[in-house]
Amino acid sequence: MGEAEGVVFGHRDGHGFVKRDDGEPDVYISQQEMRSVLHRDRVKVRLVRFDRKGRPEGRILEIVERRKAPIIGRLLNEGGAWLVAPEDRRYGQDILIPKNATASAVAGQVVAVELTEPPSMYSQPVGRITEVLGEIDDPGMEIEIAVRKYEVPYRFSAETLAQTAKLPDHVRAVDMKGRINLTDVPLVTIDGEDARDFDDAVYCEPHKSGRGKNAFSGWRLIVAIADVSHYVKPGEALDNDAYERATSVYFPRRVIPMLPEKLSNGLCSLNPEENRLSMVCDMLIGEDGEQGAYQFYPAVINSHARLTYTEVAAVLGNTRGPEAAERAELVPHLLNLHDVYRALLKARTRRGAIDFETTETQIICDDNGRIERIVPRTRNDAHKLIEEAMLAANVCAADFIALHEHPALFRVHEGPTPEKKITLQNYLKALGLGLSISDDPKPAEYQALAQATKDRVDAQQIHSMLLRSMQQAIYTPKNSGHFGLAYEAYAHFTSPIRRYPDLLVHRVIKALLQGRRYHLHAPEVETSASAGARKSSRAAGKTGESEMAHWVSAGEHCSANERRADEASRDVEAWLKCRFMRERLGEEFSGTVSAATTFGLFVTLDTLYVEGLVHITELGGEYFKFDEVRQELRGERTGIRYAIGARVRVQVSRVDLDGRKIDFRIVREAEGERLLGRGRKTEPAQRGSAPTAAEQLASVEAQDRQVKRAGRKPKTGGAPGVAHRPAITKTASRGAKPASKRSKR
C-alpha cells in the first residue's frame, strides 16, 4: 500500500501518529508498534490498512533518526530499580537508569536524561542523568521543565554573547548617518504596566492637502518601529540564535527573549528621552479610515514619553483629569490618535473584519511564582488604538512588498476548510437561526453572524463554533490574504524585537528602498529545511526554486516555533493552575460549559477562570449521546442537554499535576438556582415557577424506583432544554482524554 517517511508524535494513551513529510494524512501507529520508537523520532512506515473512516494505519519499517534532545522527567526508585518517568506523557515509556548513571540526583527530583540505549520491541530505553534541575516544588521549576520539554533555546551561544558585548551602549553619530531625524516629533510608546521592551512608538496629526477632486482630509499617522536589522546582520551569531528561537516566549514572571537583553531592553527598546534607530511607516489616513498614501524610511527618533494603556484611557476619558494635567503637552496628540483610531475602526467594520469579544485572563503570581489570583484583562480604547495603528503599518508593509513582487514572509490566515465549512453550516442549520455562511464564505459573513447573535443566551457557543471553523494563521511566502482581518495582503512588521518574521520583513523593505533585492541567507534555513518543505516549493513563482524553498522553509520554521512557544506557555499556565486548584479540592464553584465532547464537558469557573473536565462518568446514571452537529451532550431518557454556555455548579474532585488536568464533578444546584441547558443563564427560582433541575431529577429518580418495584419500564419523558444531573453515555470510554486546545490563529 506504499511507504512514507515522517516524524512520530506519541499520544499519552500509548499509540502514536507519523506526520508525513509529503503532507498526506497522518499515519496511525499502534501501541505495540510504538514500543520500538519514541516521540519525535524520524521513521519510515509502511501503510498496511485503512480504518472504517479511511484513515491510514502503518507499521514501522525503519528508524531513520533518533531524537537526540534530553528527556525531562522525575527520578523514581521502584523496588531498587532507578527509572525516570518522562514529564511529557507522549514518550509513553519510562527510562531505566543504571545505578552508576544517576549522578547526584535523589528520588523525586526533576532531571534531564540522555538515552544510551534506544527502546526496542522487547526492552525499555536506558539512559543516564545529565542534569539535575531540582525539586518539583522549587520556585520557577515549571518554567525550567517547559523550556526543556519543548526544546525552547534558553541559553545564547558564546559567540552571540561575545558579539553582544561588543555592541555600543548608546546610538552613535555614525549609526544615524543617512537617516531622517524625527527626534523633535513627539512620538510616544503605549504599553502595559509590566512591559520591559518598547518596540513601537506612535504619533498623529491632522492633515489636509490638495484641492478640488484631489483634496485630502484626514490624519498623518507615524508608526516608528525599532530597527533591529541595523544590529542583527544575516549570518552572524546573533542572527543564527535569533532564527533558531524565531520568537520570544512569555511565561508568568519570566520571558525567554529572542534577542539578548542588551538589545531587547536596551539599544532596540524605544526608551523615553533616548535616541533610537527605527524604521518608520509614515501614512496618510482619510476621514473614512482608508489609507491615502504611505512611505517607509529609516529614521532616528526620541520617544517623548513612556505611557501605559491605563494612563492613556484615563486621558481620553477625561481631558481635564489628573492624568491629562500631568501630560498636558501630549493630550492634543493623544486625541488625534483617538480620532484616527475611530476612523480606522469604521473602515474595519466596512471591510467586514471579524471581531469576537473574548475574555483574556492574566495570572498574578506571588514572590514564589505561585498563582495569587487570576484576573480578566480589560481592553480599553488605548489597547484598540495601538492595535489599529499596528494593523495599518503591517498592511502597508505587505502592500509595499507585494507591489515590488519580492519574496517575503506574509502572515496568512485562510478561510475554513471544506470540512469545517460543512460542519459549521450544519450546526447553524440545526440551531434554526435563519443565518448561515455561503459555500465561498467571506469575513463579513462571519462578522454579521457574530453581530446578529451577540445578545443571544447561547452567543458564547455560537461564537466558539465560528472560531473553531477557521484555520490557524501561518507564515508563508505565498500571499493568500488574511481572512480574519479581511486583508488582501498582511505581514508582520511591528515587532522585530520578539518575532523573526518581522526582522525579515524589515530587511526586505530596506533592500527595496536601496533599489536592490534581499536574498535570504542560506544558513538561516539549513537547520530546519525539511524534505517536505523543499518538495512543496517546486511550483514557486518567478524566483528560483532554491530561493523560494528557503522562504518556504523559513516560514514553516517560524510558524512551528510560534506554536512551540504557545504550547510551552500554556503548559506552564496549566501547571500553575493545577497547583492553584490543588489547594481547593472539595470546594464548589459556579461555572460555564466551554466545550462538549464524547467523553464529557469542559467547564470554566466564573470567579477563578480555570477550566476543568467533568468526565462523562461523573454526570450520573443516565445514558448520554454526543450530538456532533449541535455540539452538545443529550440525555436519551430525559432529553436534558449540556451545550457550550450552559450554567453548571461543580466540585473540584481531582487535580493531576503531572498530567496538567483538573477534574470536576457536577453537584446538585442549591435552592434558589436552576440549571438551564442550551447556554441559558442561571435564574433565581420563583414561587410557582417551573421546578428546579434538582427537583426534576428527584422526580425522575422517584419514578424510576416505582417502575422497578412494579417490574415495568419507565415512561418518563423529561424536560427538554433543562440541564440537570445526568449520567453515562454509551459512546464514552473511561480512558478517553480531552483533546488539546487549538492554538491561536
Side-chain angles (χ1 to χ4, degrees), residues 332-545:
H333 308 307
L334 294 178
L335 292 176
N336 289 334
L337 282 167
H338 196 226
D339 289 340
V340 77
Y341 151 68
R342 287 184 290 193
L344 289 168
L345 196 59
K346 290 178 182 177
R348 181 191 185 106
T349 303
R350 285 197 307 274
R351 229 176 36 243
I354 303 169
D355 188 14
F356 295 120
E357 286 296 331
T358 57
T359 302
E360 294 185 10
T361 57
Q362 178 182 7
I363 292 177
I364 308 297
C365 294
D366 59 22
D367 293 338
N368 293 320
R370 302 290 182 252
I371 293 181
E372 193 172 86
R373 65 187 186 279
I374 302 173
V375 297
R377 289 184 185 270
T378 54
R379 289 180 75 245
N380 53 42
D381 273 7
H383 289 87
K384 298 173 184 177
L385 179 158
I386 290 298
E387 179 182 322
E388 287 298 328
M390 297 305 112
L391 290 177
N394 286 338
V395 169
C396 290
D399 184 68
F400 185 70
I401 292 169
L403 285 175
H404 287 81
E405 298 183 350
H406 195 292
L409 291 185
F410 293 93
R411 182 64 167 178
V412 168
H413 178 229
E414 295 184 319
T417 62
E419 296 79 8
K420 290 185 176 182
K421 178 190 65 181
I422 292 170
T423 299
L424 179 61
Q425 286 173 333
N426 291 338
Y427 168 75
L428 294 171
K429 183 178 179 181
L431 285 183
L433 289 175
L435 295 170
S436 188
I437 59 171
S438 64
D439 291 334
D440 183 21
K442 300 294 187 291
E445 297 176 44
Y446 274 70
Q447 184 61 12
L449 274 166
Q451 286 296 316
T453 58
K454 66 179 181 179
D455 296 325
R456 287 174 57 101
V457 291
D458 55 354
Q460 181 181 351
Q461 175 184 358
I462 296 170
H463 293 182
S464 176
M465 287 299 296
L466 291 173
L467 279 170
R468 290 181 187 180
S469 72
M470 292 188 285
Q471 298 185 60
Q472 188 176 14
I474 59 170
Y475 294 107
T476 172
K478 181 183 177 183
N479 176 33
S480 302
H482 197 291
F483 183 82
L485 295 172
Y487 286 131
E488 293 182 1
Y490 187 69
H492 276 168
F493 165 79
T494 53
S495 295
I497 287 180
R498 59 185 180 90
R499 292 189 306 226
Y500 197 83
D502 302 51
L503 177 57
L504 289 178
V505 166
H506 276 231
R507 288 175 179 168
V508 169
I509 290 175
K510 271 190 174 181
L512 292 174
L513 291 176
Q514 295 167 7
R516 59 183 180 85
R517 295 181 69 83
Y518 174 73
H519 297 285
L520 194 62
H521 186 61
E524 294 171 353
V525 297
E526 280 178 359
T527 57
S528 67
S530 66
R534 295 183 186 280
K535 288 176 185 176
S536 65
S537 62
R538 295 304 181 192
K542 298 180 180 179
T543 53
E545 289 183 355

Side-chain angles (χ1 to χ4, degrees), residues 654-671:
R654 179 174 174 268
V655 175
D656 179 3
L657 197 61
D658 291 335
R660 313 291 197 267
K661 293 189 294 184
I662 301 167
D663 290 338
F664 299 145
R665 72 177 184 86
I666 297 286
V667 297
R668 297 196 181 193
E669 290 301 295
E671 259 186 71

Side-chain angles (χ1 to χ4, degrees), residues 279 543 552 626 741:
M279 282 295 294
T543 53
V552 169
F626 177 62
K741 284 189 179 178

